[in-house]
Amino acid sequence: MSLKSVNDILDVLEKQAKWQEQPFQRLLKCWTEVVGSVVAAQTRPLSIQRDVLWVATSSAAWAQNLTFGRSSLLLKLNKKLPTPLVDIRFSTASWQHPSVEPKQQQTISADEHPSYVSDRISRPDTTPSIQNANAAFGHWAKIVQARSNGLPLCPQCQCPTPPGELQRWSVCSICAAKQF
Ligand SMILES: [Zn+2]
């Protein structure tokens, strides 16, 4: 792997890290605009965890109504956000105590929801700190592999490749064809 491509990867990882520092601040800025002032008065975004936005609501009825309408909210919010949210959770749990961390909510399994797009797949459990280029690359490769639905990557072009092709040629069919 060339130094340039390592730098490209590090660049991408750095941008992701920057984004992960700020998503919630960005969301707060456009929240009222997206939901409207009436809804904004009854809601308070709490945090973004693993691309799921947690929002406190003033009542269970609001939580229910907003949960039903969250698909269109997601569409609108994701137009404003560089990294799309996968879902929004509304709960009255933290409405009264804004300073308290929503610990109770953190224990709720995100994948219990049918519209939840699993990010156990897109995010390996272990997120190594970027100690060196190899670790960064290994982490990146895992993510890419996971995004390709678990298909192994061709060692030559890093494309998701059916295991059968790797067994036969050690590379993908496209790279194999180039060799002949
Ligand atoms: Zn290939």
Side-chain angles (χ1 to χ4, degrees), residues 154-159 161 171-176 178:
C154 164
Q156 199 148 316
C157 66
Q158 307 301 329
C159 292
T161 307
V171 292
C172 72
S173 54
I174 297 159
C175 290
K178 282 183 201 158

